[in-house]
Amino acid sequence: MADLAHASLAELARALAAREVSAVELARLYLARIESRRDLNAFLDVRPEVTLAQAAAADARRARGEAGSLTGVPIAHKDIFVTRDFCSTASSRILEGYMSPFDATVVDNLGRAGMVTLGKLNCDEFAMGSSNENSAYGVVLNPWDPKAVPGGSSGGSSAAVAARLAPVATATDTGGSIREPAAFTGITGTKPTYGRPSRWGMIAFASSLDTAGLMTQSAEDAALVFNSMLGFDPKDSTSVDRPAEDYTRHLGTGVKGLRIGVPKEFFGAGLQADVEAAVRAALDEYRRLGAELVDISLPNAELGIPVYYVLAPAECSSNLSRFDGVRYGHRAEHYRDLTDMIKKSRAEGFGPEPKRRILIGTYVLSHGYYDAYYIKAQQVRRLIADEFQSAFRQCDVIAGPVTTSVAFGFGEKAADPVSMYMADLYTVPGSLAGVPSMSIPCGFGAGPVNGGRPVGLQLIANYFEEARMLGVAHAYQQATDWHRRLPQGV
Ligand code: GLN
């Protein structure tokens, strides 16, 4: 095994199985890489002693002949998943230094498979944002261009995988937070069907949308990890009780005769020409590989943004009420009485974006506005979900851009929340419907500024068809090498 730092997860798993490298050696290699790229600010908590102990346990397990395919493979977790051995902050001051008494189910599943945790990854506070500029612990830099955002909310996850500080990272997607940062950093980001990954131990933002997924180099790597990560969890009331399946089973299927739906609403006026060109070229590649392109329509998709920005704040205003200075995290030092303590703790602990959303959410749920905003948004959500079902009668998967532009610059949208919210234009419809969706690298932007910034192709499949979607992505990645390109210096 030559270049372990740039190897894919599949290659690392093979090297471990062949005993060409030990889990401890791999852990040391990645810890050193993390240390050498502190400038990116991708990691919030790194504890080499914990990582090396897990790696030693993985090696011992292999020596006993009890290793699985992922035993000893390193992984990093978005700081939205609670972990017993690392701080769990959701990138918020209100949870600074918080140690959870248990691991999230996703973390636990991967730990039981023998994966080794490298640390916790920066993100937007409570996963609210599209640029990672909302973290209380500072922005994350995009490894392709330090002037560009890494995307959000899973910006630490995307930067870490793009810079090869981890072969794989967990992430979460509520309205686009896996697909958008994956697109901005030239990696593969996959969100399964809502209800397929457990939400237990995922710090809640908008519970009817929050979905755990992965940042990887390739679709193949994602499929390998999903085999251990996904599954029914009785501790999560929205977990779907379906038999386990092999997510790698479509990796060799190819795309001959596949009908790819191209929604006209995803190619509207806001789409930048360089992104459109790269996406159209990817669609042509699929045609060359034997797929058929079908024009489809998702007429209400453009209402996704207003619907999402009513529903997500409504759910977050309820979820974030648990942070009261009594049970978790930050408590104000000086206060008069209980009410004053709660007010001050929340005022000091939450950053501006969670505060804005708590206010919006409380407003749309209040008496007199509930029917006009919340109920109306739920009704339009249903229309959007139904439109996906009619689209999937005409096609097998849907493809289009992930974002209207390549990664934007720091500060470009931060002062204008509505322009930031528009970054989710093409990702939010799939989230509202709860269908699986992913972003795969398909080119680079044009021009002197955008030339080095990656473009993502979005794939969307019907409920529980993530294995097929991964196969469709894999076919493209077998024929192209965008997913193998590395940022300069990486
Ligand atoms: N950018 C969206 C938001 O700010 C989506 C975030 C997410 O998917 N967690 O809510």
Side-chain angles (χ1 to χ4, degrees), residues 78 80 124-131 134 152-154 172-181 191 205-206 209-211 305 308-309 312-313 353 357 420-424 427-428 431:
K78 181 176 180 179
I80 278 287
D124 280 304
E125 187 174 355
F126 289 103
M128 297 172 188
S130 302
S131 64
N134 295 336
S153 65
S154 311
T172 60
D173 195 308
T174 301
S177 280
I178 291 177
R179 291 159 286 163
E180 189 243 21
K191 172 190 106 72
F205 161 16
L209 296 152
D210 294 345
T211 309
I305 293 284
Y308 174 86
Y309 281 98
E353 190 60 28
R357 297 198 189 194
M420 186 70 88
Y421 297 167
M422 291 307 282
D424 306 323
T427 52
V428 148
S431 298

mmCIF file of all heavy atoms in Angstrom, residues 78 80 124-131 134 152-154 172-181 191 205-206 209-211 305 308-309 312-313 353 357 420-424 427-428 431, ligand 1:
data_model
loop_
_atom_site.group_PDB
_atom_site.id
_atom_site.type_symbol
_atom_site.label_atom_id
_atom_site.label_comp_id
_atom_site.label_asym_id
_atom_site.label_seq_id
_atom_site.Cartn_x
_atom_site.Cartn_y
_atom_site.Cartn_z
ATOM 1 N N LYS A 78 -19.353 14.589 12.893
ATOM 2 C CA LYS A 78 -19.882 15.950 13.010
ATOM 3 C C LYS A 78 -20.285 16.183 14.458
ATOM 4 O O LYS A 78 -20.877 15.295 15.099
ATOM 5 C CB LYS A 78 -21.099 16.098 12.083
ATOM 6 C CG LYS A 78 -21.743 17.486 12.100
ATOM 7 C CD LYS A 78 -22.869 17.593 11.084
ATOM 8 C CE LYS A 78 -23.512 18.969 11.088
ATOM 9 N NZ LYS A 78 -24.588 19.093 10.081
ATOM 10 N N ILE A 80 -22.604 17.125 15.959
ATOM 11 C CA ILE A 80 -24.050 17.135 16.182
ATOM 12 C C ILE A 80 -24.420 15.798 16.802
ATOM 13 O O ILE A 80 -25.441 15.657 17.460
ATOM 14 C CB ILE A 80 -24.776 17.325 14.826
ATOM 15 C CG1 ILE A 80 -24.805 18.807 14.442
ATOM 16 C CG2 ILE A 80 -26.178 16.758 14.842
ATOM 17 C CD1 ILE A 80 -25.747 19.675 15.220
ATOM 18 N N ASP A 124 -22.058 24.454 11.458
ATOM 19 C CA ASP A 124 -22.845 25.620 11.857
ATOM 20 C C ASP A 124 -23.573 25.308 13.161
ATOM 21 O O ASP A 124 -23.950 24.155 13.427
ATOM 22 C CB ASP A 124 -23.878 25.952 10.771
ATOM 23 C CG ASP A 124 -23.263 26.720 9.608
ATOM 24 O OD1 ASP A 124 -22.669 27.775 9.855
ATOM 25 O OD2 ASP A 124 -23.377 26.252 8.465
ATOM 26 N N GLU A 125 -23.782 26.338 13.982
ATOM 27 C CA GLU A 125 -24.402 26.147 15.290
ATOM 28 C C GLU A 125 -25.762 25.444 15.145
ATOM 29 O O GLU A 125 -26.636 25.922 14.417
ATOM 30 C CB GLU A 125 -24.564 27.513 15.980
ATOM 31 C CG GLU A 125 -25.052 27.388 17.413
ATOM 32 C CD GLU A 125 -25.077 28.729 18.160
ATOM 33 O OE1 GLU A 125 -24.634 29.751 17.609
ATOM 34 O OE2 GLU A 125 -25.560 28.721 19.311
ATOM 35 N N PHE A 126 -25.912 24.326 15.829
ATOM 36 C CA PHE A 126 -27.121 23.494 15.745
ATOM 37 C C PHE A 126 -27.477 23.152 14.293
ATOM 38 O O PHE A 126 -28.647 22.980 13.954
ATOM 39 C CB PHE A 126 -28.309 24.136 16.474
ATOM 40 C CG PHE A 126 -28.145 24.110 17.970
ATOM 41 C CD1 PHE A 126 -27.769 25.254 18.658
ATOM 42 C CD2 PHE A 126 -28.312 22.935 18.686
ATOM 43 C CE1 PHE A 126 -27.576 25.226 20.034
ATOM 44 C CE2 PHE A 126 -28.120 22.898 20.053
ATOM 45 C CZ PHE A 126 -27.761 24.040 20.738
ATOM 46 N N ALA A 127 -26.460 23.084 13.428
ATOM 47 C CA ALA A 127 -26.635 22.712 12.014
ATOM 48 C C ALA A 127 -27.465 23.722 11.237
ATOM 49 O O ALA A 127 -28.108 23.386 10.247
ATOM 50 C CB ALA A 127 -27.226 21.301 11.880
ATOM 51 N N MET A 128 -27.453 24.983 11.704
ATOM 52 C CA MET A 128 -28.229 26.023 11.026
ATOM 53 C C MET A 128 -27.301 26.893 10.202
ATOM 54 O O MET A 128 -26.591 27.742 10.743
ATOM 55 C CB MET A 128 -28.951 26.885 12.064
ATOM 56 C CG MET A 128 -29.948 26.095 12.870
ATOM 57 S SD MET A 128 -30.581 27.095 14.220
ATOM 58 C CE MET A 128 -31.505 25.837 15.103
ATOM 59 N N GLY A 129 -27.297 26.679 8.901
ATOM 60 C CA GLY A 129 -26.474 27.507 8.042
ATOM 61 C C GLY A 129 -26.059 26.783 6.784
ATOM 62 O O GLY A 129 -26.276 25.574 6.640
ATOM 63 N N SER A 130 -25.467 27.539 5.862
ATOM 64 C CA SER A 130 -25.057 26.983 4.576
ATOM 65 C C SER A 130 -23.590 27.286 4.281
ATOM 66 O O SER A 130 -23.130 27.091 3.165
ATOM 67 C CB SER A 130 -25.914 27.578 3.459
ATOM 68 O OG SER A 130 -27.276 27.322 3.705
ATOM 69 N N SER A 131 -22.856 27.770 5.280
ATOM 70 C CA SER A 131 -21.484 28.213 5.003
ATOM 71 C C SER A 131 -20.517 27.915 6.136
ATOM 72 O O SER A 131 -19.337 28.218 6.026
ATOM 73 C CB SER A 131 -21.487 29.719 4.752
ATOM 74 O OG SER A 131 -21.897 30.392 5.932
ATOM 75 N N ASN A 134 -21.669 30.186 10.916
ATOM 76 C CA ASN A 134 -22.443 30.357 12.148
ATOM 77 C C ASN A 134 -21.886 29.573 13.328
ATOM 78 O O ASN A 134 -22.545 29.488 14.359
ATOM 79 C CB ASN A 134 -23.902 29.922 11.934
ATOM 80 C CG ASN A 134 -24.625 30.805 10.930
ATOM 81 O OD1 ASN A 134 -24.243 31.948 10.725
ATOM 82 N ND2 ASN A 134 -25.666 30.270 10.307
ATOM 83 N N GLY A 152 -22.201 24.532 4.337
ATOM 84 C CA GLY A 152 -22.712 24.254 5.677
ATOM 85 C C GLY A 152 -23.999 23.477 5.585
ATOM 86 O O GLY A 152 -24.519 23.289 4.503
ATOM 87 N N SER A 153 -24.432 22.965 6.673
ATOM 88 C CA SER A 153 -23.831 23.151 7.980
ATOM 89 C C SER A 153 -22.662 22.199 8.243
ATOM 90 O O SER A 153 -21.884 22.437 9.152
ATOM 91 C CB SER A 153 -24.890 22.967 9.068
ATOM 92 O OG SER A 153 -25.367 21.630 9.066
ATOM 93 N N SER A 154 -22.516 21.129 7.431
ATOM 94 C CA SER A 154 -21.461 20.145 7.737
ATOM 95 C C SER A 154 -20.122 20.565 7.127
ATOM 96 O O SER A 154 -19.469 19.780 6.439
ATOM 97 C CB SER A 154 -21.871 18.761 7.209
ATOM 98 O OG SER A 154 -23.182 18.426 7.587
ATOM 99 N N THR A 172 -24.879 15.590 8.838
ATOM 100 C CA THR A 172 -26.342 15.543 8.899
ATOM 101 C C THR A 172 -26.903 16.523 7.884
ATOM 102 O O THR A 172 -26.272 17.522 7.548
ATOM 103 C CB THR A 172 -26.894 15.917 10.295
ATOM 104 O OG1 THR A 172 -26.472 17.248 10.624
ATOM 105 C CG2 THR A 172 -26.416 14.942 11.345
ATOM 106 N N ASP A 173 -28.089 16.193 7.390
ATOM 107 C CA ASP A 173 -28.740 16.982 6.355
ATOM 108 C C ASP A 173 -30.184 17.213 6.782
ATOM 109 O O ASP A 173 -30.955 16.271 6.948
ATOM 110 C CB ASP A 173 -28.672 16.194 5.031
ATOM 111 C CG ASP A 173 -28.986 17.048 3.813
ATOM 112 O OD1 ASP A 173 -30.045 17.706 3.831
ATOM 113 O OD2 ASP A 173 -28.187 17.033 2.860
ATOM 114 N N THR A 174 -30.529 18.474 6.998
ATOM 115 C CA THR A 174 -31.892 18.850 7.359
ATOM 116 C C THR A 174 -32.556 19.522 6.158
ATOM 117 O O THR A 174 -33.726 19.299 5.873
ATOM 118 C CB THR A 174 -31.860 19.795 8.580
ATOM 119 O OG1 THR A 174 -31.217 19.112 9.665
ATOM 120 C CG2 THR A 174 -33.252 20.217 9.013
ATOM 121 N N GLY A 175 -31.752 20.346 5.457
ATOM 122 C CA GLY A 175 -32.268 21.013 4.258
ATOM 123 C C GLY A 175 -31.218 21.060 3.154
ATOM 124 O O GLY A 175 -31.406 21.738 2.147
ATOM 125 N N GLY A 176 -30.096 20.387 3.379
ATOM 126 C CA GLY A 176 -29.044 20.403 2.352
ATOM 127 C C GLY A 176 -27.642 20.307 2.914
ATOM 128 O O GLY A 176 -26.660 20.346 2.176
ATOM 129 N N SER A 177 -27.534 20.166 4.218
ATOM 130 C CA SER A 177 -26.242 20.284 4.910
ATOM 131 C C SER A 177 -25.240 19.177 4.654
ATOM 132 O O SER A 177 -24.104 19.277 5.115
ATOM 133 C CB SER A 177 -26.463 20.378 6.416
ATOM 134 O OG SER A 177 -26.834 21.677 6.738
ATOM 135 N N ILE A 178 -25.615 18.136 3.934
ATOM 136 C CA ILE A 178 -24.606 17.181 3.477
ATOM 137 C C ILE A 178 -24.273 17.497 2.026
ATOM 138 O O ILE A 178 -23.106 17.620 1.642
ATOM 139 C CB ILE A 178 -25.108 15.722 3.593
ATOM 140 C CG1 ILE A 178 -25.231 15.323 5.071
ATOM 141 C CG2 ILE A 178 -24.168 14.769 2.850
ATOM 142 C CD1 ILE A 178 -25.786 13.931 5.311
ATOM 143 N N ARG A 179 -25.307 17.676 1.199
ATOM 144 C CA ARG A 179 -25.102 17.826 -0.243
ATOM 145 C C ARG A 179 -24.409 19.134 -0.605
ATOM 146 O O ARG A 179 -23.516 19.155 -1.458
ATOM 147 C CB ARG A 179 -26.457 17.719 -0.952
ATOM 148 C CG ARG A 179 -27.039 16.309 -0.884
ATOM 149 C CD ARG A 179 -28.541 16.320 -1.105
ATOM 150 N NE ARG A 179 -29.271 16.832 0.042
ATOM 151 C CZ ARG A 179 -30.519 17.249 0.014
ATOM 152 N NH1 ARG A 179 -31.197 17.246 -1.115
ATOM 153 N NH2 ARG A 179 -31.117 17.680 1.125
ATOM 154 N N GLU A 180 -24.806 20.229 0.046
ATOM 155 C CA GLU A 180 -24.213 21.525 -0.315
ATOM 156 C C GLU A 180 -22.729 21.592 0.037
ATOM 157 O O GLU A 180 -21.902 21.931 -0.826
ATOM 158 C CB GLU A 180 -25.037 22.647 0.326
ATOM 159 C CG GLU A 180 -24.657 24.015 -0.158
ATOM 160 C CD GLU A 180 -24.128 24.876 0.953
ATOM 161 O OE1 GLU A 180 -23.681 24.341 1.992
ATOM 162 O OE2 GLU A 180 -24.161 26.086 0.789
ATOM 163 N N PRO A 181 -22.304 21.251 1.265
ATOM 164 C CA PRO A 181 -20.855 21.270 1.538
ATOM 165 C C PRO A 181 -20.076 20.243 0.721
ATOM 166 O O PRO A 181 -18.924 20.499 0.354
ATOM 167 C CB PRO A 181 -20.752 20.992 3.038
ATOM 168 C CG PRO A 181 -22.100 20.598 3.499
ATOM 169 C CD PRO A 181 -23.090 21.028 2.484
ATOM 170 N N LYS A 191 -27.160 11.549 1.651
ATOM 171 C CA LYS A 191 -28.241 11.590 2.642
ATOM 172 C C LYS A 191 -29.200 10.450 2.341
ATOM 173 O O LYS A 191 -29.793 10.427 1.264
ATOM 174 C CB LYS A 191 -28.978 12.927 2.509
ATOM 175 C CG LYS A 191 -30.242 13.051 3.334
ATOM 176 C CD LYS A 191 -31.027 14.307 2.941
ATOM 177 C CE LYS A 191 -32.273 14.010 2.125
ATOM 178 N NZ LYS A 191 -33.356 13.404 2.914
ATOM 179 N N PHE A 205 -32.443 19.501 15.564
ATOM 180 C CA PHE A 205 -32.701 20.821 14.971
ATOM 181 C C PHE A 205 -34.157 20.820 14.511
ATOM 182 O O PHE A 205 -35.023 21.387 15.173
ATOM 183 C CB PHE A 205 -31.667 21.048 13.852
ATOM 184 C CG PHE A 205 -31.976 22.104 12.825
ATOM 185 C CD1 PHE A 205 -32.950 23.072 13.020
ATOM 186 C CD2 PHE A 205 -31.247 22.155 11.641
ATOM 187 C CE1 PHE A 205 -33.201 24.046 12.057
ATOM 188 C CE2 PHE A 205 -31.494 23.118 10.675
ATOM 189 C CZ PHE A 205 -32.481 24.055 10.874
ATOM 190 N N ALA A 206 -34.466 20.151 13.406
ATOM 191 C CA ALA A 206 -35.845 20.053 12.926
ATOM 192 C C ALA A 206 -36.138 18.562 12.746
ATOM 193 O O ALA A 206 -35.760 17.960 11.742
ATOM 194 C CB ALA A 206 -36.012 20.807 11.618
ATOM 195 N N LEU A 209 -37.072 16.475 9.647
ATOM 196 C CA LEU A 209 -36.184 16.591 8.486
ATOM 197 C C LEU A 209 -34.781 16.042 8.747
ATOM 198 O O LEU A 209 -34.088 15.609 7.818
ATOM 199 C CB LEU A 209 -36.051 18.064 8.082
ATOM 200 C CG LEU A 209 -37.328 18.762 7.601
ATOM 201 C CD1 LEU A 209 -37.267 20.260 7.894
ATOM 202 C CD2 LEU A 209 -37.540 18.539 6.119
ATOM 203 N N ASP A 210 -34.318 16.102 9.996
ATOM 204 C CA ASP A 210 -32.925 15.744 10.337
ATOM 205 C C ASP A 210 -32.589 14.320 9.885
ATOM 206 O O ASP A 210 -33.253 13.362 10.291
ATOM 207 C CB ASP A 210 -32.702 15.811 11.858
ATOM 208 C CG ASP A 210 -32.818 17.215 12.426
ATOM 209 O OD1 ASP A 210 -32.782 18.182 11.649
ATOM 210 O OD2 ASP A 210 -32.945 17.331 13.671
ATOM 211 N N THR A 211 -31.537 14.190 9.077
ATOM 212 C CA THR A 211 -31.145 12.881 8.557
ATOM 213 C C THR A 211 -29.627 12.749 8.590
ATOM 214 O O THR A 211 -28.916 13.603 8.056
ATOM 215 C CB THR A 211 -31.619 12.719 7.089
ATOM 216 O OG1 THR A 211 -33.013 13.043 7.025
ATOM 217 C CG2 THR A 211 -31.420 11.295 6.591
ATOM 218 N N ILE A 305 -38.207 26.687 -0.338
ATOM 219 C CA ILE A 305 -37.509 27.595 0.591
ATOM 220 C C ILE A 305 -38.478 28.215 1.610
ATOM 221 O O ILE A 305 -38.273 28.061 2.814
ATOM 222 C CB ILE A 305 -36.726 28.688 -0.181
ATOM 223 C CG1 ILE A 305 -35.583 28.033 -0.965
ATOM 224 C CG2 ILE A 305 -36.194 29.779 0.747
ATOM 225 C CD1 ILE A 305 -34.397 27.612 -0.135
ATOM 226 N N TYR A 308 -39.718 25.424 3.947
ATOM 227 C CA TYR A 308 -38.681 24.955 4.862
ATOM 228 C C TYR A 308 -38.402 25.986 5.954
ATOM 229 O O TYR A 308 -38.243 25.628 7.125
ATOM 230 C CB TYR A 308 -37.400 24.663 4.067
ATOM 231 C CG TYR A 308 -36.211 24.307 4.919
ATOM 232 C CD1 TYR A 308 -35.992 22.987 5.322
ATOM 233 C CD2 TYR A 308 -35.299 25.277 5.328
ATOM 234 C CE1 TYR A 308 -34.891 22.659 6.110
ATOM 235 C CE2 TYR A 308 -34.209 24.958 6.114
ATOM 236 C CZ TYR A 308 -33.995 23.649 6.496
ATOM 237 O OH TYR A 308 -32.913 23.338 7.279
ATOM 238 N N TYR A 309 -38.346 27.268 5.574
ATOM 239 C CA TYR A 309 -38.000 28.292 6.564
ATOM 240 C C TYR A 309 -39.186 28.723 7.433
ATOM 241 O O TYR A 309 -39.083 29.652 8.211
ATOM 242 C CB TYR A 309 -37.257 29.465 5.909
ATOM 243 C CG TYR A 309 -35.798 29.060 5.691
ATOM 244 C CD1 TYR A 309 -35.341 28.603 4.459
ATOM 245 C CD2 TYR A 309 -34.901 29.043 6.760
ATOM 246 C CE1 TYR A 309 -34.024 28.179 4.279
ATOM 247 C CE2 TYR A 309 -33.592 28.623 6.599
ATOM 248 C CZ TYR A 309 -33.158 28.192 5.360
ATOM 249 O OH TYR A 309 -31.861 27.758 5.207
ATOM 250 N N ALA A 312 -38.760 24.435 9.563
ATOM 251 C CA ALA A 312 -37.528 24.169 10.315
ATOM 252 C C ALA A 312 -37.426 25.074 11.551
ATOM 253 O O ALA A 312 -37.155 24.571 12.651
ATOM 254 C CB ALA A 312 -36.309 24.287 9.403
ATOM 255 N N PRO A 313 -37.674 26.389 11.423
ATOM 256 C CA PRO A 313 -37.659 27.210 12.639
ATOM 257 C C PRO A 313 -38.740 26.795 13.642
ATOM 258 O O PRO A 313 -38.506 26.816 14.853
ATOM 259 C CB PRO A 313 -37.901 28.628 12.122
ATOM 260 C CG PRO A 313 -37.395 28.606 10.716
ATOM 261 C CD PRO A 313 -37.736 27.228 10.206
ATOM 262 N N GLU A 353 -27.987 33.111 14.798
ATOM 263 C CA GLU A 353 -28.860 32.348 13.886
ATOM 264 C C GLU A 353 -29.883 31.503 14.662
ATOM 265 O O GLU A 353 -31.073 31.561 14.356
ATOM 266 C CB GLU A 353 -28.024 31.512 12.915
ATOM 267 C CG GLU A 353 -28.827 30.866 11.784
ATOM 268 C CD GLU A 353 -29.556 31.853 10.871
ATOM 269 O OE1 GLU A 353 -29.089 33.002 10.715
ATOM 270 O OE2 GLU A 353 -30.607 31.483 10.319
ATOM 271 N N ARG A 357 -34.005 31.987 14.511
ATOM 272 C CA ARG A 357 -34.935 30.897 14.172
ATOM 273 C C ARG A 357 -35.904 30.604 15.308
ATOM 274 O O ARG A 357 -37.052 30.235 15.071
ATOM 275 C CB ARG A 357 -34.156 29.659 13.774
ATOM 276 C CG ARG A 357 -33.344 29.956 12.527
ATOM 277 C CD ARG A 357 -32.904 28.733 11.826
ATOM 278 N NE ARG A 357 -31.967 29.085 10.767
ATOM 279 C CZ ARG A 357 -31.602 28.268 9.802
ATOM 280 N NH1 ARG A 357 -32.104 27.055 9.766
ATOM 281 N NH2 ARG A 357 -30.740 28.642 8.885
ATOM 282 N N MET A 420 -28.617 33.846 2.007
ATOM 283 C CA MET A 420 -28.014 32.604 2.513
ATOM 284 C C MET A 420 -29.020 31.452 2.404
ATOM 285 O O MET A 420 -28.679 30.351 1.990
ATOM 286 C CB MET A 420 -27.583 32.795 3.976
ATOM 287 C CG MET A 420 -26.822 31.645 4.564
ATOM 288 S SD MET A 420 -25.168 31.485 3.854
ATOM 289 C CE MET A 420 -24.229 32.567 4.935
ATOM 290 N N TYR A 421 -30.276 31.717 2.761
ATOM 291 C CA TYR A 421 -31.294 30.660 2.711
ATOM 292 C C TYR A 421 -31.491 30.157 1.275
ATOM 293 O O TYR A 421 -31.806 28.996 1.045
ATOM 294 C CB TYR A 421 -32.636 31.152 3.281
ATOM 295 C CG TYR A 421 -32.593 31.532 4.754
ATOM 296 C CD1 TYR A 421 -33.647 32.237 5.349
ATOM 297 C CD2 TYR A 421 -31.508 31.193 5.564
ATOM 298 C CE1 TYR A 421 -33.617 32.588 6.690
ATOM 299 C CE2 TYR A 421 -31.473 31.556 6.906
ATOM 300 C CZ TYR A 421 -32.534 32.257 7.465
ATOM 301 O OH TYR A 421 -32.506 32.609 8.785
ATOM 302 N N MET A 422 -31.284 31.052 0.278
ATOM 303 C CA MET A 422 -31.481 30.645 -1.119
ATOM 304 C C MET A 422 -30.445 29.611 -1.578
ATOM 305 O O MET A 422 -30.631 28.956 -2.604
ATOM 306 C CB MET A 422 -31.429 31.866 -2.058
ATOM 307 C CG MET A 422 -32.617 32.815 -1.924
ATOM 308 S SD MET A 422 -34.207 32.002 -2.084
ATOM 309 C CE MET A 422 -34.260 31.815 -3.870
ATOM 310 N N ALA A 423 -29.351 29.474 -0.812
ATOM 311 C CA ALA A 423 -28.341 28.463 -1.155
ATOM 312 C C ALA A 423 -28.951 27.053 -1.120
ATOM 313 O O ALA A 423 -28.390 26.116 -1.676
ATOM 314 C CB ALA A 423 -27.156 28.546 -0.198
ATOM 315 N N ASP A 424 -30.093 26.914 -0.459
ATOM 316 C CA ASP A 424 -30.725 25.599 -0.310
ATOM 317 C C ASP A 424 -31.807 25.333 -1.354
ATOM 318 O O ASP A 424 -32.542 24.345 -1.253
ATOM 319 C CB ASP A 424 -31.381 25.483 1.079
ATOM 320 C CG ASP A 424 -30.420 25.791 2.204
ATOM 321 O OD1 ASP A 424 -29.239 25.424 2.086
ATOM 322 O OD2 ASP A 424 -30.839 26.408 3.195
ATOM 323 N N THR A 427 -31.793 21.806 -2.785
ATOM 324 C CA THR A 427 -31.638 20.687 -1.847
ATOM 325 C C THR A 427 -32.872 20.506 -0.953
ATOM 326 O O THR A 427 -33.193 19.389 -0.560
ATOM 327 C CB THR A 427 -30.404 20.876 -0.938
ATOM 328 O OG1 THR A 427 -30.461 22.160 -0.325
ATOM 329 C CG2 THR A 427 -29.121 20.734 -1.738
ATOM 330 N N VAL A 428 -33.551 21.628 -0.661
ATOM 331 C CA VAL A 428 -34.664 21.577 0.278
ATOM 332 C C VAL A 428 -35.856 20.719 -0.202
ATOM 333 O O VAL A 428 -36.465 20.012 0.607
ATOM 334 C CB VAL A 428 -35.074 23.031 0.623
ATOM 335 C CG1 VAL A 428 -36.530 23.154 0.898
ATOM 336 C CG2 VAL A 428 -34.249 23.531 1.796
ATOM 337 N N SER A 431 -35.417 17.223 0.850
ATOM 338 C CA SER A 431 -35.498 17.111 2.315
ATOM 339 C C SER A 431 -36.949 17.107 2.774
ATOM 340 O O SER A 431 -37.327 16.317 3.641
ATOM 341 C CB SER A 431 -34.775 18.289 2.981
ATOM 342 O OG SER A 431 -33.414 18.281 2.650
HETATM 343 N N1 GLN B 1 -28.875 25.569 5.180
HETATM 344 C C1 GLN B 1 -30.049 25.007 5.759
HETATM 345 C C2 GLN B 1 -30.367 25.702 7.058
HETATM 346 O O1 GLN B 1 -29.703 26.615 7.374
HETATM 347 C C3 GLN B 1 -29.911 23.540 5.946
HETATM 348 C C4 GLN B 1 -29.157 23.171 7.156
HETATM 349 C C5 GLN B 1 -29.116 21.689 7.352
HETATM 350 O O2 GLN B 1 -29.393 20.917 6.448
HETATM 351 N N2 GLN B 1 -28.796 21.299 8.578
HETATM 352 O O3 GLN B 1 -31.264 25.357 7.744
#
